Amino acid sequence: MKEYNKLIFELSKPGRKAYSLPALDVEEKALDSLIPAEFLTDKGLNFPEVSEVDVIRHYTNLSNKNYGLDKGFYPLGSCTMKYNPKINEDVVKYDGFANVHPFQAESCIQGSLQVMYELERSLCEIGGMDSFTLHPAAGAHGEITGIMLIKAYHDKNGDTKRNKIIVPDSAHGTNPATAAMAGYSIVEIKSTENGLVDLEALKAAVGEDTAGLMLTNPNTLGLYDKGVKEISRIVHEAGGLLYYDGANLNAIMGHSRPGDMGFDTVHFNLHKTFSTPHGGGGPGSGPVGCKKILAEFLPKPLVGKRYDGTYFLDYNVPGSIGKIKDFYGHFGIFLRAYTYILIMGNDGLKKASEMAVLNANYIKEKLKDYYYLPIDTLVKHEVVFGGLKDTTSGVTTLDIAKRLLDYGYHPPTVYFPLIIDQALMIEPTESESKETIDGFIEAMIAIAKEASSDPELLKTAPHDTLVRRPDETKAARNPVVKYQG
Amino acid sequence: MYPYIPNTPQDEQEMLKTIGLDSINQLFGDIPEQVHLTKPLNIPDSKSELEVSGYLKNLADKNCPVSQLACFLGAGAYDHYIPSVINAITSRSEFYTSYTPYQPEISQGTLQYIFEYQTLITNLTGMDVANASLYDGGTAITEAALMACSYSRKDEIIVSAGVNPEARQILKTYAHAQNLKVTEVETKDGVTDAGMLESLLSDKTAAVIVQNPNFFGLLEDLKGLAEITHKVKKASFVAAVEPISLALLKKPGELDVDIVVGEGQPLGMPLQFGGPYLGFMAVKNDYIRKIPGRIVGETTDLDGKRSYVLTLSAREQHIRREKATSNICSNQGLNALAATVYMVTMGKEGLKEVAEQCVQKSHYAFNELTKSGKYRPLFDKPFFMEFALTSEDSVDKINKALLEEKIIGGYDLGKDYPQYKNASLYAVTEKRTKEEIDKLRRVLEAVK
């Protein structure tokens, strides 16, 4: 098929339109009699003039240039690209959910509040937490909310010298960025050669200035940190609190809970573990849970339930850190996640984690003869390789990723975590069948063989995509960030 | 078996064998006993699609959607017309089931619509550069304030009391965490008090934040306030704007605004009980390396083809870690798509027509509602599509009477502004009909 390569602006023709509105049914007055001329612009909008057919064809053609989960395997490590169930998309369109104003009277929003209340209770159970707030818009937003809870706790205790957050070197980049955003300085601790938190380094790092620790467990290497109880003891004894980055929760549902591990506050990514779509970069949702000691600081408003069974928005939270998000968060995402939890049930959620872990370990076993596996041990939901086992060809992880595109797969996460050179981080999720995974494994092995037989083929990959290695350096050096035409 | 999990028991056995294990439980053998859950989660068992959709439909029916009422409530979220094409496009799974476009070769669809979105937002605002979007209008104001602090290396922010109260609360939450000082400049007759602003400004001021139309619906003198702000070196003038109004009002870019932010919900997003919506942000060129969030840029590929990539990522957390401009690592991709499709569907003329209808209908409503004298204007200033009225009755009482007649009344200003007791903020969008407005008047007149 002929390639489509137009911008919407290039389709514009004066006089075309794609909209219709009812005629004005009130008496029309001169605009400048309603709004003084000094406020009015004389510059028209330079928006395209197109028909509805143009709009639909243009964006349908653009969609064809995208790879989505519904097209195939998407093993992006740390991103949990699991299937997005279609019922979720139906539920958000129910009139009673889609068309409710956030400030309507309490009697008009009981259904929405009940969804939020029940979702919070479900997340508390899954995480071993006492309370949850659904407000945070994304994982990073959840992180800052959780860190603010920790800060509020120390502030309340008059413990103001605690100005450091400890972050392992395997952490997501958002962890240090978040701690800095909350006004903390960062203490990075090295991982052991087994990829776990170095307990001796941790002991040396904690002290009277420790506000808390941010940790992902299983960590970004896909490893469950066996020392987690000891880690929480060390941090708690030093007077700090523990934050759980729930990016990797999909590995452990029904098997292990951050609350039981000793974490005081957590965030979960509804767009990862709870099947809500990633939407090409958002919207996500990053609810934050906490233990009782932090509940008084949660953002306003909370969702409450009265003895008579009615629900209400509770703004009476004197210790609250305040508001962190317009209204109450991404309600449309809560609905999808709650639908998923109801469909899966306790049994299905546990099964999801089990199959996610099974798939990851299977890939590890099948690829470790071809790709360098820095730590050969049981993994959880993802496995991290350090590029090819045979490095003589000079083929890099980027080349492998680009070659995978030719084979029809979305590549794994590359060059993360930072502590593994040439990292290839593969997270298959439970959504994939053995056949899909076998197909991916075959492609990975074929690529490893090509690296020896024809390294140029990889270094110049991809060959079969619409565009090939767009020049990022050029884009950054001379930024063109809007249509100039 | 579960519908979203394809492995069969036989697959499981084969895979376990490959791994060298006998049971699924052994896969979790690395979890220490004391933190290994032994009982099932206290969540109901799995259910069928029919059972779950029935349950949730029932919950949805407990709400009273605006589709069955006449909505005169705004205050930051608005009941506008949403063309059908938007859902047709945002429901395409090539868009909604994709990740952030890290692999440009197979993400040109997402990258290009973000590029188009950035173009449309810069045109709408008259600014130089727009990012790929932020969480919502409220957090975008905070991001603007943080950017201004980083740009100027100063830590004092002045915000107008005319800015959405929720947004001001968010700003205070973040400012507290970062030890930034936030001062409020009061409104006078409903608009930002320029004299007070002048007196509050100092060399330490990093940003002055106003909203236009402001929370009361009134038009601010952006140019005048920008001038006052710019007397301070490196102080940024931030305006939170309503996107539909920009089809008629002078663009922030014409008025020397440095950072423009806003809530994009009016651009084709359903009310959805408050989210997900869209925060947009656009800046002058000087700020391009300080702007938070993602940006898409045009480039060429190996074969010289026009293509798009995420760019200027040296600002972002995955590269800069604790030195990043923000911890943000997502945008509201799908909402940005909705806004893009909305803007091109309404196009040059349509957005203007929407804006004009909002102006005409809201002014008609204002005149009708204030005729008898029972409801008095709270302010005497030009407004766009929201206006505040006050009376002897409590807003609660009025809104209860309206709801009985299937009308959603205005926002109770007394909640955030104790000095404005018994004051309702009414929003009139293009969707409201003359019939609905006349009925609103009748019911209001009958409130006893």
Side-chain angles (χ1 to χ4, degrees):
Chain A
M1 260 181 86
K2 194 172 174 299
E3 192 183 324
Y4 183 77
N5 195 17
K6 285 238 166 46
L7 284 156
I8 190 78
F9 311 102
E10 293 162 347
L11 304 179
S12 182
K13 187 171 182 180
R16 283 213 177 110
K17 65 172 219 174
Y19 75 95
S20 57
L21 286 169
L24 187 66
D25 60 356
V26 301
E27 188 198 342
E28 185 166 1
K29 300 200 168 152
L31 190 60
D32 58 7
S33 74
L34 304 177
I35 295 178
E38 74 226 48
F39 290 104
L40 299 171
T41 187
D42 46 15
K43 292 198 174 84
L45 292 169
N46 195 16
F47 280 13
E49 292 175 87
V50 290
S51 71
E52 178 169 329
V53 185
D54 294 329
V55 174
I56 289 293
R57 292 230 174 107
H58 176 73
Y59 290 103
T60 301
N61 276 306
L62 286 197
S63 77
N64 290 336
K65 297 183 169 200
N66 255 16
Y67 185 89
L69 251 174
D70 285 0
K71 281 192 178 175
F73 192 36
Y74 220 121
L76 263 177
S78 220
C79 301
T80 315
M81 295 297 285
K82 67 166 71 178
Y83 175 67
N84 308 137
K86 301 310 156 193
I87 182 183
N88 296 358
E89 303 305 311
D90 283 351
V91 169
V92 293
K93 293 185 182 85
Y94 291 170
D95 189 29
F97 287 140
N99 298 311
V100 172
H101 191 291
F103 289 142
Q104 275 182 254
E106 191 187 291
S107 63
C108 291
I109 57 173
Q110 285 297 305
S112 294
L113 294 179
Q114 189 173 342
V115 166
M116 291 176 69
Y117 185 86
E118 291 181 3
L119 175 59
E120 284 180 9
R121 294 324 303 163
S122 305
L123 297 178
C124 281
E125 174 64 14
I126 293 164
M129 290 285 146
D130 296 316
S131 304
F132 250 86
T133 172
L134 302 177
H135 296 213
H141 201 205
E143 287 179 31
I144 187 125
T145 305
I147 292 301
M148 284 183 192
L149 297 181
I150 291 175
K151 192 177 182 100
Y153 172 86
H154 293 312
D155 284 352
K156 193 188 173 190
N157 294 338
D159 208 352
T160 49
K161 62 192 174 301
R162 298 189 178 272
N163 59 2
K164 291 194 172 68
I165 292 280
I166 300 170
V167 178
D169 57 4
S170 61
H172 294 118
T174 47
N175 291 174
T178 295
M181 212 173 169
Y184 285 110
S185 52
I186 286 67
V187 181
E188 190 174 272
I189 51 165
K190 295 247 172 290
S191 302
T192 64
E193 57 185 21
N194 295 322
L196 305 177
V197 171
D198 186 330
L199 294 175
E200 292 312 312
L202 179 64
K203 279 180 197 156
V206 296
E208 286 187 342
D209 58 359
T210 303
L213 166 95
M214 297 180 87
L215 191 67
T216 312
N217 189 30
N219 65 21
T220 56
L221 295 168
L223 307 178
Y224 191 99
D225 203 315
K226 298 175 183 67
V228 66
K229 265 295 196 193
E230 182 63 7
I231 293 169
S232 77
R233 192 187 60 79
I234 293 167
V235 175
H236 280 147
E237 275 180 10
L241 296 178
L242 285 92
Y243 181 86
Y244 181 86
D245 175 338
N248 299 340
L249 179 72
N250 204 46
I252 56 166
M253 281 187 293
H255 277 280
S256 192
R257 309 193 302 175
D260 302 335
M261 297 175 206
F263 288 91
D264 303 291
T265 174
V266 309
H267 89 261
F268 292 160
N269 301 73
L270 299 187
H271 47 285
K272 295 181 180 177
T273 318
F274 298 100
S275 85
T276 79
H278 282 76
S285 179
V288 165
C290 67
K291 295 276 183 66
K292 277 197 184 74
I293 52 160
L294 295 177
E296 63 183 292
F297 309 115
L298 283 170
K300 284 190 279 194
L302 303 173
V303 181
K305 185 178 182 180
R306 301 192 184 90
Y307 288 111
D308 66 2
T310 58
Y311 299 87
F312 66 105
L313 288 166
D314 184 2
Y315 286 89
N316 186 18
V317 197
S320 171
I321 56 169
K323 271 198 79 74
I324 54 126
K325 173 81 179 73
D326 281 349
F327 310 112
Y328 329 112
H330 289 164
F331 181 74
I333 309 299
F334 310 159
L335 273 177
R336 292 174 172 93
Y338 190 46
T339 305
Y340 177 76
I341 289 172
L342 289 174
I343 291 259
M344 297 299 279
N346 68 79
D347 47 325
L349 294 175
K350 189 175 178 196
K351 185 77 182 178
S353 286
E354 290 174 351
M355 291 304 106
V357 172
L358 178 68
N359 286 349
N361 279 284
Y362 181 72
I363 290 173
K364 178 187 70 122
E365 236 17 75
K366 288 278 200 173
L367 289 182
K368 70 179 183 187
D369 290 341
Y370 303 88
Y371 291 86
Y372 173 61
L373 183 63
I375 303 159
D376 188 2
T377 178
L378 195 60
V379 295
K380 294 272 80 60
H381 62 302
E382 64 194 0
V383 54
V384 181
F385 292 101
L388 284 163
K389 204 164 183 183
D390 176 3
T391 55
T392 50
S393 63
V395 165
T396 65
T397 278
L398 184 69
D399 302 330
I400 296 163
K402 295 300 178 193
R403 184 62 179 152
L404 264 173
L405 297 171
D406 288 334
Y407 280 87
Y409 294 100
H410 193 289
T413 295
V414 292
Y415 301 106
F416 186 82
L418 307 176
I419 55 172
I420 302 292
D421 189 32
Q422 298 290 321
L424 269 165
M425 187 189 211
I426 304 171
E427 181 181 6
T429 83
E430 73 280 9
S431 307
E432 306 302 332
S433 66
K434 180 169 177 296
E435 288 84 347
T436 301
I437 287 174
D438 281 336
F440 171 74
I441 288 165
E442 274 171 36
M444 287 292 284
I445 292 172
I447 290 168
K449 288 178 179 163
E450 286 171 354
S452 311
S453 61
D454 188 2
E456 249 344 89
L457 183 70
L458 271 63
K459 288 175 188 173
T460 53
H463 302 280
D464 288 342
T465 48
L466 289 173
V467 297
R468 304 169 53 233
R469 299 202 192 201
D471 189 343
E472 293 181 5
T473 315
K474 176 180 165 184
R477 197 183 304 129
N478 178 27
V480 179
V481 295
K482 61 183 175 184
Y483 177 60
Q484 313 280 351
Chain B
M1 292 293 293
Y2 299 84
Y4 320 141
I5 305 180
N7 278 340
T8 64
Q10 192 197 338
D11 293 333
E12 286 179 33
Q13 288 313 312
E14 284 175 29
M15 293 167 88
L16 281 170
K17 203 173 155 205
T18 304
I19 300 166
L21 297 177
D22 301 320
S23 73
I24 293 293
N25 260 336
Q26 287 178 341
L27 286 169
F28 295 86
D30 52 351
I31 300 180
E33 207 173 315
Q34 60 184 143
V35 291
H36 201 153
L37 205 60
T38 48
K39 57 179 189 345
L41 292 170
N42 184 18
I43 286 175
D45 291 342
S46 54
K47 287 200 173 53
S48 69
E49 205 172 277
L50 268 179
E51 290 165 296
V52 171
S53 58
Y55 180 70
L56 290 169
K57 188 78 190 34
N58 187 34
L59 291 190
D61 290 344
K62 289 188 181 182
N63 287 338
C64 326
V66 297
S67 51
Q68 295 164 23
L69 306 160
C71 180
F72 290 94
L73 180 58
Y78 301 92
D79 182 27
H80 284 290
Y81 158 63
I82 301 175
S84 299
V85 288
I86 294 180
N87 186 44
I89 296 301
T90 56
S91 296
R92 291 196 64 89
S93 73
E94 297 89 335
F95 286 130
Y96 80 78
T97 73
S98 64
Y99 194 71
T100 301
Y102 285 138
Q103 294 291 339
E105 285 88 349
I106 52 171
S107 311
Q108 286 298 302
T110 298
L111 288 161
Q112 187 179 321
Y113 82 64
I114 295 175
F115 184 78
E116 292 180 354
Y117 164 85
Q118 291 171 183
T119 305
L120 292 160
I121 293 292
T122 51
N123 187 254
L124 189 66
T125 55
M127 303 299 283
D128 298 320
V129 183
N131 74 3
S133 74
L134 298 165
Y135 304 140
D136 60 23
T139 56
I141 286 178
T142 292
E143 289 287 348
L146 300 181
M147 172 167 54
C149 290
S150 149
Y151 176 79
S152 61
R153 295 170 184 268
K154 297 191 272 190
D155 59 6
E156 292 192 12
I157 298 148
I158 299 173
V159 61
S160 166
V163 170
N164 186 314
E166 293 222 329
R168 279 183 283 133
Q169 289 177 42
I170 297 169
L171 177 64
K172 279 176 201 156
T173 305
Y174 276 77
H176 174 76
Q178 296 208 9
N179 275 323
L180 307 173
K181 188 177 155 202
V182 178
T183 314
E184 283 195 4
V185 49
E186 299 294 325
T187 55
K188 191 176 163 191
D189 305 326
V191 296
T192 307
D193 184 339
M196 184 175 174
L197 173 62
E198 203 143 13
S199 71
L200 288 174
L201 279 170
S202 79
D203 290 345
K204 292 181 187 159
T205 306
V208 172
I209 306 172
V210 301
Q211 179 177 320
N212 191 53
N214 69 18
F215 191 68
F216 307 126
L218 306 176
L219 300 177
E220 294 275 4
D221 173 18
L222 291 184
K223 198 172 174 77
L225 296 168
E227 241 168 61
I228 296 172
T229 303
H230 288 143
K231 287 179 189 164
V232 176
K233 210 177 151 196
K234 282 251 167 189
S236 301
F237 184 62
V238 181
V241 298
E242 197 287 320
I244 304 253
S245 71
L246 294 179
L248 297 179
L249 301 180
K250 279 210 168 81
K251 295 170 189 236
E254 299 174 62
L255 303 167
D256 208 16
V257 177
D258 300 299
I259 304 170
V260 177
V261 290
E263 173 52 65
Q265 181 269 335
L267 303 173
M269 275 149 260
L271 287 165
Q272 196 99 78
F273 199 50
Y277 294 168
L278 170 82
F280 62 86
M281 176 179 266
V283 297
K284 286 182 183 167
N285 264 330
D286 301 354
Y287 293 80
I288 187 166
R289 306 221 174 236
K290 288 284 178 195
I291 192 169
R294 301 208 165 105
I295 299 178
V296 169
E298 185 182 300
T299 187
T300 48
D301 82 339
L302 282 179
D303 303 312
K305 266 194 224 171
R306 177 168 75 177
S307 45
Y308 305 92
V309 290
L310 290 176
T311 192
L312 303 170
S313 54
R315 305 159 294 120
E316 293 189 70
Q317 50 75 28
H318 63 281
I319 310 281
R320 297 275 288 167
R321 294 177 80 85
E322 72 268 22
K323 294 188 187 67
T325 53
S326 164
N327 75 341
I328 281 193
C329 60
S330 62
N331 69 342
Q332 300 288 95
L334 212 57
N335 299 87
L337 177 61
T340 305
V341 177
Y342 179 85
M343 287 188 276
V344 305
T345 298
M346 300 316 285
K348 198 185 176 94
E349 297 304 322
L351 200 68
K352 207 170 142 200
E353 199 175 327
V354 170
E356 278 179 355
Q357 290 218 9
C358 292
V359 173
Q360 296 285 350
K361 290 183 177 186
S362 59
H363 285 76
Y364 172 78
F366 175 85
N367 288 334
E368 289 296 305
L369 301 189
T370 53
K371 250 180 195 165
S372 76
K374 183 167 160 67
Y375 298 90
R376 298 173 306 277
L378 188 60
F379 306 110
D380 179 24
K381 292 274 180 191
F383 64 91
F384 174 64
M385 59 170 238
E386 277 181 295
F387 56 85
L389 301 181
T390 175
S391 75
E392 302 308 316
D393 296 313
S394 76
V395 176
D396 198 41
K397 180 180 167 189
I398 293 168
N399 283 352
K400 277 193 177 124
L402 289 171
L403 191 56
E404 282 186 13
E405 296 297 325
K406 294 195 164 292
I407 295 171
I408 305 172
Y411 181 85
D412 184 352
L413 283 176
K415 283 200 284 186
D416 310 291
Y417 302 88
Q419 71 272 35
Y420 300 136
K421 216 173 140 243
N422 293 354
S424 284
L425 181 69
Y426 291 96
V428 186
T429 70
E430 79 285 5
K431 266 181 87 174
R432 298 288 69 81
T433 62
K434 178 172 183 295
E435 200 182 320
E436 289 170 338
I437 298 168
D438 292 345
K439 183 176 168 188
L440 170 67
R441 180 185 56 80
R442 284 197 307 274
V443 181
L444 280 176
E445 288 301 322
V447 172
K448 278 194 210 107

